[in-house]
Amino acid sequence: ELKVEQNPLFLSMQEGKNYTIYCNYSTTSDRLYWYRQDPGKSLESLFVLLSNGAVKQEGRLMASLDTKARLSTLHITAAVHDLSATYFCAVSKWVYGNKLVFGAGTILRVKS
Amino acid sequence: SAVISQKPSRDICQRGTSLTIQCQVDSQVTMMFWYRQQPGQSLTLIATANQGSEATYESGFVIDKFPISRPNLTFSTLTVSNMSPEDSSIYLCSANKRETTQETQYFGPGTRLLVL
């Protein structure tokens, strides 16, 4: 069974600081996704990671994937208030019909 | 990116009634999914909507409670039947779409359901 664990579940940080959100999954997967959700909104796709060692960056966010450790990280550099949101990681596997299994989410609050 | 619309965007319903949620994708997609997000929680897959055949339900979800239709490659409906307050959630439709070299899964805006 595919399971996903995210930590921390809640993160309060000051503007300008760096931090990392961790996503562990239980079995090999084909894709790992990071999504952002603002309050009352739907999910916005941030990154899709496919292969070991994959690294993608968009603005102050950088995602990486270590398939051997079954670990992905979402690194936040020099946080700004606009990054406040809930971040979800999710994994999919073709043999499971490409459905997404989500982590619990990390609520990020950036204090100015 | 795929544009996915859902109707209604929100509704308040009485217990014992049923609500049908529509999901429209702006282009043909092979796979469509229905998720539920309970207040303050993560997303849980209800079922995969298969075009031309019955939906595939996840453990804990049954067709009698959540009948799904998928008449073509751009449209699906989810019905929440015989509703109770425990069904109050956000229901999200999603679809896999391949763009250039990458396939990703996009989400609709969600339907916020409150059952009284």
PDB file of all heavy atoms in Angstrom, chain B residues 1-38:
ATOM      1  N   SER B   1      -1.556  24.209 -19.203  1.00  0.00           N
ATOM      2  CA  SER B   1      -2.271  23.547 -18.118  1.00  0.00           C
ATOM      3  C   SER B   1      -3.712  23.272 -18.519  1.00  0.00           C
ATOM      4  O   SER B   1      -4.261  23.959 -19.393  1.00  0.00           O
ATOM      5  CB  SER B   1      -2.233  24.405 -16.865  1.00  0.00           C
ATOM      6  OG  SER B   1      -2.874  25.627 -17.068  1.00  0.00           O
ATOM      7  N   ALA B   2      -4.302  22.277 -17.893  1.00  0.00           N
ATOM      8  CA  ALA B   2      -5.693  21.950 -18.193  1.00  0.00           C
ATOM      9  C   ALA B   2      -6.610  22.892 -17.431  1.00  0.00           C
ATOM     10  O   ALA B   2      -6.341  23.258 -16.299  1.00  0.00           O
ATOM     11  CB  ALA B   2      -5.977  20.511 -17.785  1.00  0.00           C
ATOM     12  N   VAL B   3      -7.694  23.278 -18.101  1.00  0.00           N
ATOM     13  CA  VAL B   3      -8.709  24.069 -17.422  1.00  0.00           C
ATOM     14  C   VAL B   3      -9.842  23.129 -17.053  1.00  0.00           C
ATOM     15  O   VAL B   3     -10.421  22.462 -17.915  1.00  0.00           O
ATOM     16  CB  VAL B   3      -9.233  25.205 -18.325  1.00  0.00           C
ATOM     17  CG1 VAL B   3     -10.378  25.928 -17.636  1.00  0.00           C
ATOM     18  CG2 VAL B   3      -8.107  26.182 -18.647  1.00  0.00           C
ATOM     19  N   ILE B   4     -10.118  23.051 -15.768  1.00  0.00           N
ATOM     20  CA  ILE B   4     -11.152  22.165 -15.261  1.00  0.00           C
ATOM     21  C   ILE B   4     -12.175  23.020 -14.519  1.00  0.00           C
ATOM     22  O   ILE B   4     -11.813  23.797 -13.628  1.00  0.00           O
ATOM     23  CB  ILE B   4     -10.564  21.104 -14.305  1.00  0.00           C
ATOM     24  CG1 ILE B   4      -9.468  20.311 -15.003  1.00  0.00           C
ATOM     25  CG2 ILE B   4     -11.677  20.181 -13.810  1.00  0.00           C
ATOM     26  CD1 ILE B   4      -8.777  19.289 -14.104  1.00  0.00           C
ATOM     27  N   SER B   5     -13.428  22.879 -14.895  1.00  0.00           N
ATOM     28  CA  SER B   5     -14.479  23.620 -14.214  1.00  0.00           C
ATOM     29  C   SER B   5     -15.410  22.651 -13.508  1.00  0.00           C
ATOM     30  O   SER B   5     -15.566  21.496 -13.938  1.00  0.00           O
ATOM     31  CB  SER B   5     -15.260  24.496 -15.206  1.00  0.00           C
ATOM     32  OG  SER B   5     -15.842  23.694 -16.214  1.00  0.00           O
ATOM     33  N   GLN B   6     -15.988  23.112 -12.436  1.00  0.00           N
ATOM     34  CA  GLN B   6     -16.918  22.309 -11.659  1.00  0.00           C
ATOM     35  C   GLN B   6     -18.166  23.127 -11.373  1.00  0.00           C
ATOM     36  O   GLN B   6     -18.100  24.326 -11.123  1.00  0.00           O
ATOM     37  CB  GLN B   6     -16.291  21.877 -10.322  1.00  0.00           C
ATOM     38  CG  GLN B   6     -15.320  20.743 -10.410  1.00  0.00           C
ATOM     39  CD  GLN B   6     -14.808  20.302  -9.052  1.00  0.00           C
ATOM     40  OE1 GLN B   6     -13.610  20.296  -8.806  1.00  0.00           O
ATOM     41  NE2 GLN B   6     -15.713  19.910  -8.151  1.00  0.00           N
ATOM     42  N   LYS B   7     -19.302  22.431 -11.374  1.00  0.00           N
ATOM     43  CA  LYS B   7     -20.560  23.065 -10.994  1.00  0.00           C
ATOM     44  C   LYS B   7     -21.329  22.128 -10.088  1.00  0.00           C
ATOM     45  O   LYS B   7     -21.379  20.910 -10.369  1.00  0.00           O
ATOM     46  CB  LYS B   7     -21.416  23.360 -12.231  1.00  0.00           C
ATOM     47  CG  LYS B   7     -20.927  24.482 -13.069  1.00  0.00           C
ATOM     48  CD  LYS B   7     -21.979  24.958 -14.062  1.00  0.00           C
ATOM     49  CE  LYS B   7     -22.327  23.934 -15.101  1.00  0.00           C
ATOM     50  NZ  LYS B   7     -23.219  24.496 -16.156  1.00  0.00           N
ATOM     51  N   PRO B   8     -21.962  22.596  -9.023  1.00  0.00           N
ATOM     52  CA  PRO B   8     -21.887  23.966  -8.523  1.00  0.00           C
ATOM     53  C   PRO B   8     -20.580  24.203  -7.780  1.00  0.00           C
ATOM     54  O   PRO B   8     -19.871  23.270  -7.468  1.00  0.00           O
ATOM     55  CB  PRO B   8     -23.078  24.029  -7.555  1.00  0.00           C
ATOM     56  CG  PRO B   8     -23.160  22.640  -7.007  1.00  0.00           C
ATOM     57  CD  PRO B   8     -22.804  21.739  -8.164  1.00  0.00           C
ATOM     58  N   SER B   9     -20.278  25.448  -7.509  1.00  0.00           N
ATOM     59  CA  SER B   9     -19.064  25.759  -6.751  1.00  0.00           C
ATOM     60  C   SER B   9     -19.291  25.530  -5.262  1.00  0.00           C
ATOM     61  O   SER B   9     -18.352  25.233  -4.514  1.00  0.00           O
ATOM     62  CB  SER B   9     -18.641  27.206  -6.995  1.00  0.00           C
ATOM     63  OG  SER B   9     -19.673  28.092  -6.607  1.00  0.00           O
ATOM     64  N   ARG B  10     -20.512  25.679  -4.841  1.00  0.00           N
ATOM     65  CA  ARG B  10     -20.865  25.410  -3.447  1.00  0.00           C
ATOM     66  C   ARG B  10     -22.359  25.165  -3.352  1.00  0.00           C
ATOM     67  O   ARG B  10     -23.117  25.585  -4.220  1.00  0.00           O
ATOM     68  CB  ARG B  10     -20.453  26.561  -2.530  1.00  0.00           C
ATOM     69  CG  ARG B  10     -21.110  27.889  -2.862  1.00  0.00           C
ATOM     70  CD  ARG B  10     -20.658  28.982  -1.904  1.00  0.00           C
ATOM     71  NE  ARG B  10     -19.249  29.299  -2.045  1.00  0.00           N
ATOM     72  CZ  ARG B  10     -18.360  29.229  -1.051  1.00  0.00           C
ATOM     73  NH1 ARG B  10     -18.736  28.863   0.148  1.00  0.00           N
ATOM     74  NH2 ARG B  10     -17.096  29.545  -1.260  1.00  0.00           N
ATOM     75  N   ASP B  11     -22.751  24.442  -2.294  1.00  0.00           N
ATOM     76  CA  ASP B  11     -24.174  24.209  -2.077  1.00  0.00           C
ATOM     77  C   ASP B  11     -24.416  23.870  -0.623  1.00  0.00           C
ATOM     78  O   ASP B  11     -23.520  23.342   0.053  1.00  0.00           O
ATOM     79  CB  ASP B  11     -24.689  23.078  -2.976  1.00  0.00           C
ATOM     80  CG  ASP B  11     -26.168  23.228  -3.310  1.00  0.00           C
ATOM     81  OD1 ASP B  11     -26.873  23.972  -2.593  1.00  0.00           O
ATOM     82  OD2 ASP B  11     -26.627  22.603  -4.287  1.00  0.00           O
ATOM     83  N   ILE B  12     -25.596  24.200  -0.180  1.00  0.00           N
ATOM     84  CA  ILE B  12     -26.059  23.811   1.160  1.00  0.00           C
ATOM     85  C   ILE B  12     -27.268  22.915   0.944  1.00  0.00           C
ATOM     86  O   ILE B  12     -28.229  23.311   0.264  1.00  0.00           O
ATOM     87  CB  ILE B  12     -26.443  25.042   1.999  1.00  0.00           C
ATOM     88  CG1 ILE B  12     -25.237  25.960   2.162  1.00  0.00           C
ATOM     89  CG2 ILE B  12     -26.956  24.596   3.365  1.00  0.00           C
ATOM     90  CD1 ILE B  12     -25.560  27.294   2.837  1.00  0.00           C
ATOM     91  N   CYS B  13     -27.191  21.713   1.494  1.00  0.00           N
ATOM     92  CA  CYS B  13     -28.228  20.722   1.223  1.00  0.00           C
ATOM     93  C   CYS B  13     -28.800  20.173   2.513  1.00  0.00           C
ATOM     94  O   CYS B  13     -28.143  20.186   3.561  1.00  0.00           O
ATOM     95  CB  CYS B  13     -27.643  19.570   0.395  1.00  0.00           C
ATOM     96  SG  CYS B  13     -26.977  20.071  -1.203  1.00  0.00           S
ATOM     97  N   GLN B  14     -30.008  19.665   2.406  1.00  0.00           N
ATOM     98  CA  GLN B  14     -30.649  19.025   3.550  1.00  0.00           C
ATOM     99  C   GLN B  14     -30.273  17.547   3.589  1.00  0.00           C
ATOM    100  O   GLN B  14     -30.074  16.912   2.542  1.00  0.00           O
ATOM    101  CB  GLN B  14     -32.163  19.160   3.448  1.00  0.00           C
ATOM    102  CG  GLN B  14     -32.652  20.605   3.504  1.00  0.00           C
ATOM    103  CD  GLN B  14     -32.346  21.262   4.845  1.00  0.00           C
ATOM    104  OE1 GLN B  14     -32.461  20.625   5.899  1.00  0.00           O
ATOM    105  NE2 GLN B  14     -31.943  22.525   4.816  1.00  0.00           N
ATOM    106  N   ARG B  15     -30.171  17.023   4.784  1.00  0.00           N
ATOM    107  CA  ARG B  15     -29.856  15.590   4.905  1.00  0.00           C
ATOM    108  C   ARG B  15     -30.915  14.761   4.201  1.00  0.00           C
ATOM    109  O   ARG B  15     -32.085  15.130   4.150  1.00  0.00           O
ATOM    110  CB  ARG B  15     -29.695  15.195   6.370  1.00  0.00           C
ATOM    111  CG  ARG B  15     -30.972  14.903   7.107  1.00  0.00           C
ATOM    112  CD  ARG B  15     -30.733  14.303   8.482  1.00  0.00           C
ATOM    113  NE  ARG B  15     -29.924  15.152   9.344  1.00  0.00           N
ATOM    114  CZ  ARG B  15     -29.031  14.676  10.201  1.00  0.00           C
ATOM    115  NH1 ARG B  15     -28.808  13.370  10.273  1.00  0.00           N
ATOM    116  NH2 ARG B  15     -28.357  15.475  10.978  1.00  0.00           N
ATOM    117  N   GLY B  16     -30.488  13.663   3.637  1.00  0.00           N
ATOM    118  CA  GLY B  16     -31.374  12.753   2.928  1.00  0.00           C
ATOM    119  C   GLY B  16     -31.528  13.062   1.450  1.00  0.00           C
ATOM    120  O   GLY B  16     -32.038  12.226   0.697  1.00  0.00           O
ATOM    121  N   THR B  17     -31.071  14.226   1.030  1.00  0.00           N
ATOM    122  CA  THR B  17     -31.169  14.574  -0.394  1.00  0.00           C
ATOM    123  C   THR B  17     -29.883  14.166  -1.113  1.00  0.00           C
ATOM    124  O   THR B  17     -28.933  13.683  -0.509  1.00  0.00           O
ATOM    125  CB  THR B  17     -31.417  16.076  -0.575  1.00  0.00           C
ATOM    126  OG1 THR B  17     -30.297  16.810  -0.051  1.00  0.00           O
ATOM    127  CG2 THR B  17     -32.682  16.513   0.150  1.00  0.00           C
ATOM    128  N   SER B  18     -29.868  14.365  -2.418  1.00  0.00           N
ATOM    129  CA  SER B  18     -28.701  14.021  -3.238  1.00  0.00           C
ATOM    130  C   SER B  18     -28.276  15.240  -4.042  1.00  0.00           C
ATOM    131  O   SER B  18     -29.099  16.097  -4.381  1.00  0.00           O
ATOM    132  CB  SER B  18     -29.039  12.867  -4.200  1.00  0.00           C
ATOM    133  OG  SER B  18     -29.383  11.704  -3.485  1.00  0.00           O
ATOM    134  N   LEU B  19     -26.994  15.302  -4.346  1.00  0.00           N
ATOM    135  CA  LEU B  19     -26.447  16.398  -5.136  1.00  0.00           C
ATOM    136  C   LEU B  19     -25.538  15.817  -6.206  1.00  0.00           C
ATOM    137  O   LEU B  19     -24.702  14.958  -5.910  1.00  0.00           O
ATOM    138  CB  LEU B  19     -25.628  17.355  -4.253  1.00  0.00           C
ATOM    139  CG  LEU B  19     -24.918  18.486  -5.003  1.00  0.00           C
ATOM    140  CD1 LEU B  19     -25.944  19.514  -5.463  1.00  0.00           C
ATOM    141  CD2 LEU B  19     -23.863  19.150  -4.125  1.00  0.00           C
ATOM    142  N   THR B  20     -25.683  16.300  -7.429  1.00  0.00           N
ATOM    143  CA  THR B  20     -24.807  15.884  -8.517  1.00  0.00           C
ATOM    144  C   THR B  20     -23.855  17.016  -8.862  1.00  0.00           C
ATOM    145  O   THR B  20     -24.294  18.145  -9.108  1.00  0.00           O
ATOM    146  CB  THR B  20     -25.610  15.468  -9.751  1.00  0.00           C
ATOM    147  OG1 THR B  20     -26.387  14.301  -9.432  1.00  0.00           O
ATOM    148  CG2 THR B  20     -24.684  15.131 -10.919  1.00  0.00           C
ATOM    149  N   ILE B  21     -22.573  16.702  -8.880  1.00  0.00           N
ATOM    150  CA  ILE B  21     -21.518  17.661  -9.184  1.00  0.00           C
ATOM    151  C   ILE B  21     -21.001  17.357 -10.586  1.00  0.00           C
ATOM    152  O   ILE B  21     -20.729  16.200 -10.915  1.00  0.00           O
ATOM    153  CB  ILE B  21     -20.369  17.551  -8.169  1.00  0.00           C
ATOM    154  CG1 ILE B  21     -20.903  17.764  -6.747  1.00  0.00           C
ATOM    155  CG2 ILE B  21     -19.268  18.551  -8.493  1.00  0.00           C
ATOM    156  CD1 ILE B  21     -19.910  17.375  -5.665  1.00  0.00           C
ATOM    157  N   GLN B  22     -20.862  18.397 -11.377  1.00  0.00           N
ATOM    158  CA  GLN B  22     -20.383  18.227 -12.747  1.00  0.00           C
ATOM    159  C   GLN B  22     -18.942  18.696 -12.867  1.00  0.00           C
ATOM    160  O   GLN B  22     -18.545  19.687 -12.243  1.00  0.00           O
ATOM    161  CB  GLN B  22     -21.253  19.043 -13.706  1.00  0.00           C
ATOM    162  CG  GLN B  22     -22.694  18.611 -13.744  1.00  0.00           C
ATOM    163  CD  GLN B  22     -23.517  19.457 -14.699  1.00  0.00           C
ATOM    164  OE1 GLN B  22     -23.004  20.333 -15.403  1.00  0.00           O
ATOM    165  NE2 GLN B  22     -24.811  19.199 -14.749  1.00  0.00           N
ATOM    166  N   CYS B  23     -18.185  18.013 -13.694  1.00  0.00           N
ATOM    167  CA  CYS B  23     -16.789  18.364 -13.948  1.00  0.00           C
ATOM    168  C   CYS B  23     -16.551  18.370 -15.449  1.00  0.00           C
ATOM    169  O   CYS B  23     -16.810  17.366 -16.131  1.00  0.00           O
ATOM    170  CB  CYS B  23     -15.866  17.361 -13.265  1.00  0.00           C
ATOM    171  SG  CYS B  23     -14.113  17.624 -13.597  1.00  0.00           S
ATOM    172  N   GLN B  24     -16.051  19.487 -15.951  1.00  0.00           N
ATOM    173  CA  GLN B  24     -15.789  19.641 -17.386  1.00  0.00           C
ATOM    174  C   GLN B  24     -14.325  19.999 -17.591  1.00  0.00           C
ATOM    175  O   GLN B  24     -13.817  20.941 -16.972  1.00  0.00           O
ATOM    176  CB  GLN B  24     -16.673  20.751 -17.956  1.00  0.00           C
ATOM    177  CG  GLN B  24     -16.473  21.015 -19.442  1.00  0.00           C
ATOM    178  CD  GLN B  24     -17.100  19.931 -20.297  1.00  0.00           C
ATOM    179  OE1 GLN B  24     -18.276  19.602 -20.167  1.00  0.00           O
ATOM    180  NE2 GLN B  24     -16.313  19.358 -21.198  1.00  0.00           N
ATOM    181  N   VAL B  25     -13.641  19.269 -18.466  1.00  0.00           N
ATOM    182  CA  VAL B  25     -12.246  19.546 -18.788  1.00  0.00           C
ATOM    183  C   VAL B  25     -12.194  20.163 -20.186  1.00  0.00           C
ATOM    184  O   VAL B  25     -13.002  19.806 -21.055  1.00  0.00           O
ATOM    185  CB  VAL B  25     -11.390  18.265 -18.750  1.00  0.00           C
ATOM    186  CG1 VAL B  25      -9.908  18.601 -18.898  1.00  0.00           C
ATOM    187  CG2 VAL B  25     -11.619  17.504 -17.455  1.00  0.00           C
ATOM    188  N   ASP B  26     -11.257  21.068 -20.398  1.00  0.00           N
ATOM    189  CA  ASP B  26     -11.226  21.816 -21.660  1.00  0.00           C
ATOM    190  C   ASP B  26     -10.657  21.025 -22.824  1.00  0.00           C
ATOM    191  O   ASP B  26     -10.652  21.499 -23.955  1.00  0.00           O
ATOM    192  CB  ASP B  26     -10.455  23.131 -21.490  1.00  0.00           C
ATOM    193  CG  ASP B  26      -8.969  22.905 -21.216  1.00  0.00           C
ATOM    194  OD1 ASP B  26      -8.583  21.786 -20.841  1.00  0.00           O
ATOM    195  OD2 ASP B  26      -8.202  23.870 -21.366  1.00  0.00           O
ATOM    196  N   SER B  27     -10.167  19.807 -22.565  1.00  0.00           N
ATOM    197  CA  SER B  27      -9.672  18.968 -23.645  1.00  0.00           C
ATOM    198  C   SER B  27      -9.828  17.510 -23.248  1.00  0.00           C
ATOM    199  O   SER B  27     -10.075  17.204 -22.080  1.00  0.00           O
ATOM    200  CB  SER B  27      -8.207  19.281 -23.941  1.00  0.00           C
ATOM    201  OG  SER B  27      -7.420  19.059 -22.799  1.00  0.00           O
ATOM    202  N   GLN B  28      -9.679  16.630 -24.202  1.00  0.00           N
ATOM    203  CA  GLN B  28      -9.861  15.209 -23.895  1.00  0.00           C
ATOM    204  C   GLN B  28      -8.748  14.704 -22.985  1.00  0.00           C
ATOM    205  O   GLN B  28      -7.570  15.002 -23.220  1.00  0.00           O
ATOM    206  CB  GLN B  28      -9.885  14.410 -25.199  1.00  0.00           C
ATOM    207  CG  GLN B  28     -11.106  14.695 -26.055  1.00  0.00           C
ATOM    208  CD  GLN B  28     -11.164  13.807 -27.291  1.00  0.00           C
ATOM    209  OE1 GLN B  28     -10.195  13.166 -27.658  1.00  0.00           O
ATOM    210  NE2 GLN B  28     -12.333  13.745 -27.923  1.00  0.00           N
ATOM    211  N   VAL B  29      -9.114  13.970 -21.988  1.00  0.00           N
ATOM    212  CA  VAL B  29      -8.160  13.393 -21.052  1.00  0.00           C
ATOM    213  C   VAL B  29      -8.507  11.926 -20.853  1.00  0.00           C
ATOM    214  O   VAL B  29      -9.672  11.530 -20.939  1.00  0.00           O
ATOM    215  CB  VAL B  29      -8.163  14.113 -19.682  1.00  0.00           C
ATOM    216  CG1 VAL B  29      -7.624  15.524 -19.832  1.00  0.00           C
ATOM    217  CG2 VAL B  29      -9.549  14.139 -19.077  1.00  0.00           C
ATOM    218  N   THR B  30      -7.497  11.131 -20.586  1.00  0.00           N
ATOM    219  CA  THR B  30      -7.753   9.707 -20.407  1.00  0.00           C
ATOM    220  C   THR B  30      -8.277   9.404 -19.015  1.00  0.00           C
ATOM    221  O   THR B  30      -9.187   8.608 -18.845  1.00  0.00           O
ATOM    222  CB  THR B  30      -6.487   8.893 -20.661  1.00  0.00           C
ATOM    223  OG1 THR B  30      -5.435   9.430 -19.863  1.00  0.00           O
ATOM    224  CG2 THR B  30      -6.091   8.945 -22.115  1.00  0.00           C
ATOM    225  N   MET B  31      -7.707  10.049 -18.028  1.00  0.00           N
ATOM    226  CA  MET B  31      -8.045   9.691 -16.657  1.00  0.00           C
ATOM    227  C   MET B  31      -8.641  10.884 -15.928  1.00  0.00           C
ATOM    228  O   MET B  31      -8.101  11.990 -15.965  1.00  0.00           O
ATOM    229  CB  MET B  31      -6.803   9.193 -15.910  1.00  0.00           C
ATOM    230  CG  MET B  31      -6.062   8.075 -16.646  1.00  0.00           C
ATOM    231  SD  MET B  31      -4.823   7.263 -15.666  1.00  0.00           S
ATOM    232  CE  MET B  31      -5.851   6.217 -14.658  1.00  0.00           C
ATOM    233  N   MET B  32      -9.768  10.636 -15.262  1.00  0.00           N
ATOM    234  CA  MET B  32     -10.393  11.635 -14.384  1.00  0.00           C
ATOM    235  C   MET B  32     -10.621  10.995 -13.023  1.00  0.00           C
ATOM    236  O   MET B  32     -10.902   9.790 -12.928  1.00  0.00           O
ATOM    237  CB  MET B  32     -11.720  12.124 -14.976  1.00  0.00           C
ATOM    238  CG  MET B  32     -11.553  12.923 -16.260  1.00  0.00           C
ATOM    239  SD  MET B  32     -13.120  13.515 -16.937  1.00  0.00           S
ATOM    240  CE  MET B  32     -13.517  14.829 -15.779  1.00  0.00           C
ATOM    241  N   PHE B  33     -10.501  11.812 -12.000  1.00  0.00           N
ATOM    242  CA  PHE B  33     -10.591  11.321 -10.632  1.00  0.00           C
ATOM    243  C   PHE B  33     -11.487  12.241  -9.807  1.00  0.00           C
ATOM    244  O   PHE B  33     -11.589  13.439 -10.093  1.00  0.00           O
ATOM    245  CB  PHE B  33      -9.203  11.303  -9.973  1.00  0.00           C
ATOM    246  CG  PHE B  33      -8.157  10.530 -10.725  1.00  0.00           C
ATOM    247  CD1 PHE B  33      -7.393  11.154 -11.703  1.00  0.00           C
ATOM    248  CD2 PHE B  33      -7.918   9.204 -10.447  1.00  0.00           C
ATOM    249  CE1 PHE B  33      -6.418  10.467 -12.400  1.00  0.00           C
ATOM    250  CE2 PHE B  33      -6.939   8.499 -11.133  1.00  0.00           C
ATOM    251  CZ  PHE B  33      -6.187   9.131 -12.113  1.00  0.00           C
ATOM    252  N   TRP B  34     -12.068  11.672  -8.772  1.00  0.00           N
ATOM    253  CA  TRP B  34     -12.837  12.449  -7.799  1.00  0.00           C
ATOM    254  C   TRP B  34     -12.222  12.273  -6.418  1.00  0.00           C
ATOM    255  O   TRP B  34     -12.001  11.135  -5.968  1.00  0.00           O
ATOM    256  CB  TRP B  34     -14.295  12.016  -7.766  1.00  0.00           C
ATOM    257  CG  TRP B  34     -15.060  12.457  -8.979  1.00  0.00           C
ATOM    258  CD1 TRP B  34     -15.329  11.726 -10.096  1.00  0.00           C
ATOM    259  CD2 TRP B  34     -15.658  13.742  -9.184  1.00  0.00           C
ATOM    260  NE1 TRP B  34     -16.059  12.475 -10.991  1.00  0.00           N
ATOM    261  CE2 TRP B  34     -16.277  13.712 -10.450  1.00  0.00           C
ATOM    262  CE3 TRP B  34     -15.741  14.906  -8.414  1.00  0.00           C
ATOM    263  CZ2 TRP B  34     -16.971  14.819 -10.967  1.00  0.00           C
ATOM    264  CZ3 TRP B  34     -16.421  15.989  -8.926  1.00  0.00           C
ATOM    265  CH2 TRP B  34     -17.035  15.943 -10.195  1.00  0.00           C
ATOM    266  N   TYR B  35     -11.937  13.413  -5.770  1.00  0.00           N
ATOM    267  CA  TYR B  35     -11.336  13.417  -4.441  1.00  0.00           C
ATOM    268  C   TYR B  35     -12.278  14.119  -3.473  1.00  0.00           C
ATOM    269  O   TYR B  35     -13.079  14.975  -3.859  1.00  0.00           O
ATOM    270  CB  TYR B  35      -9.999  14.161  -4.446  1.00  0.00           C
ATOM    271  CG  TYR B  35      -8.892  13.469  -5.188  1.00  0.00           C
ATOM    272  CD1 TYR B  35      -8.759  13.603  -6.566  1.00  0.00           C
ATOM    273  CD2 TYR B  35      -7.950  12.695  -4.506  1.00  0.00           C
ATOM    274  CE1 TYR B  35      -7.729  12.972  -7.254  1.00  0.00           C
ATOM    275  CE2 TYR B  35      -6.917  12.064  -5.188  1.00  0.00           C
ATOM    276  CZ  TYR B  35      -6.818  12.209  -6.547  1.00  0.00           C
ATOM    277  OH  TYR B  35      -5.800  11.582  -7.224  1.00  0.00           O
ATOM    278  N   ARG B  36     -12.105  13.803  -2.221  1.00  0.00           N
ATOM    279  CA  ARG B  36     -12.823  14.489  -1.155  1.00  0.00           C
ATOM    280  C   ARG B  36     -11.792  15.096  -0.209  1.00  0.00           C
ATOM    281  O   ARG B  36     -10.792  14.455   0.133  1.00  0.00           O
ATOM    282  CB  ARG B  36     -13.721  13.514  -0.393  1.00  0.00           C
ATOM    283  CG  ARG B  36     -14.526  14.152   0.735  1.00  0.00           C
ATOM    284  CD  ARG B  36     -15.506  13.170   1.326  1.00  0.00           C
ATOM    285  NE  ARG B  36     -14.864  12.187   2.172  1.00  0.00           N
ATOM    286  CZ  ARG B  36     -15.511  11.213   2.796  1.00  0.00           C
ATOM    287  NH1 ARG B  36     -16.817  11.084   2.648  1.00  0.00           N
ATOM    288  NH2 ARG B  36     -14.862  10.359   3.559  1.00  0.00           N
ATOM    289  N   GLN B  37     -12.070  16.315   0.213  1.00  0.00           N
ATOM    290  CA  GLN B  37     -11.213  16.968   1.202  1.00  0.00           C
ATOM    291  C   GLN B  37     -12.106  17.447   2.333  1.00  0.00           C
ATOM    292  O   GLN B  37     -12.838  18.439   2.196  1.00  0.00           O
ATOM    293  CB  GLN B  37     -10.441  18.146   0.590  1.00  0.00           C
ATOM    294  CG  GLN B  37      -9.443  18.744   1.557  1.00  0.00           C
ATOM    295  CD  GLN B  37      -8.608  19.863   0.955  1.00  0.00           C
ATOM    296  OE1 GLN B  37      -9.024  20.520   0.006  1.00  0.00           O
ATOM    297  NE2 GLN B  37      -7.416  20.068   1.483  1.00  0.00           N
ATOM    298  N   GLN B  38     -12.064  16.745   3.443  1.00  0.00           N
ATOM    299  CA  GLN B  38     -12.847  17.133   4.606  1.00  0.00           C
ATOM    300  C   GLN B  38     -12.184  18.325   5.268  1.00  0.00           C
ATOM    301  O   GLN B  38     -10.977  18.559   5.087  1.00  0.00           O
ATOM    302  CB  GLN B  38     -13.013  15.940   5.536  1.00  0.00           C
ATOM    303  CG  GLN B  38     -13.845  14.839   4.860  1.00  0.00           C
ATOM    304  CD  GLN B  38     -14.064  13.632   5.720  1.00  0.00           C
ATOM    305  OE1 GLN B  38     -13.130  13.004   6.177  1.00  0.00           O
ATOM    306  NE2 GLN B  38     -15.329  13.275   5.930  1.00  0.00           N
TER     307      GLN B  38
END
